[in-house]
Amino acid sequence: QVQLVESGGGLVQAGGSLRLSCAASGRIFSINAMGWYRQAPGKQRELVATITSGGSTHYLDSVIGRFTISRDNAKNTVYLQMNSLKPEDTAVYYCNADGVLTINGRRNYWGPGIQVTVSS
């Protein structure tokens, strides 16, 4: 059984910083890509940032220069450093692990989500 556990969310003032972490646990052989999505009230879930096992990254345009995704492959953990936060970054942030290989094959997993609130 694979589980994703997110941490690091909370309330911060505009201009502040937060660091999200997501650890994947279970009998995992490898993970292709890990990433973060977010969903604000009344809006669709959107991709924030992803990182492959090789370190290639992709970002939502509005977070480029402010957010940095990183990954520790040995710990099956992905991080999202969020700087210069804006009220429009307020959302529930979801961790995603794509192409997780276990004894049962390869599939996609989601974390339960963690709230990030940026006050103006």
Side-chain angles (χ1 to χ4, degrees):
Q1 183 78 7
V2 174
Q3 289 188 321
L4 302 184
V5 178
E6 299 135 335
S7 61
L11 173 64
V12 65
Q13 288 189 331
S17 298
L18 284 173
R19 187 186 191 221
L20 303 183
S21 299
C22 171
S25 63
R27 298 191 68 180
I28 298 169
F29 297 138
S30 64
I31 303 176
N32 284 347
M34 300 187 77
W36 293 92
Y37 291 69
R38 68 186 182 189
Q39 187 166 17
K43 295 187 177 181
Q44 289 189 330
R45 189 174 298 190
E46 62 181 356
L47 170 66
V48 177
T50 60
I51 184 168
T52 67
S53 58
S56 296
T57 59
H58 174 79
Y59 294 93
L60 178 69
D61 284 349
S62 62
V63 308
I64 292 174
R66 301 188 298 122
F67 292 10
T68 302
I69 191 169
S70 60
R71 176 173 173 174
D72 186 332
N73 290 330
K75 296 181 179 179
N76 291 325
T77 299
V78 64
Y79 308 94
L80 186 68
Q81 178 66 43
M82 303 186 293
N83 299 328
S84 302
L85 282 161
K86 304 176 180 180
E88 50 263 44
D89 294 318
T90 296
V92 177
Y93 283 69
Y94 296 91
C95 177
N96 176 264
D98 186 53
V100 179
L101 181 62
T102 68
I103 195 171
N104 296 314
R106 196 179 290 275
R107 58 160 287 189
N108 189 37
Y109 291 88
W110 289 92
I114 191 165
Q115 179 69 45
V116 170
T117 302
V118 184
S119 63
S120 56

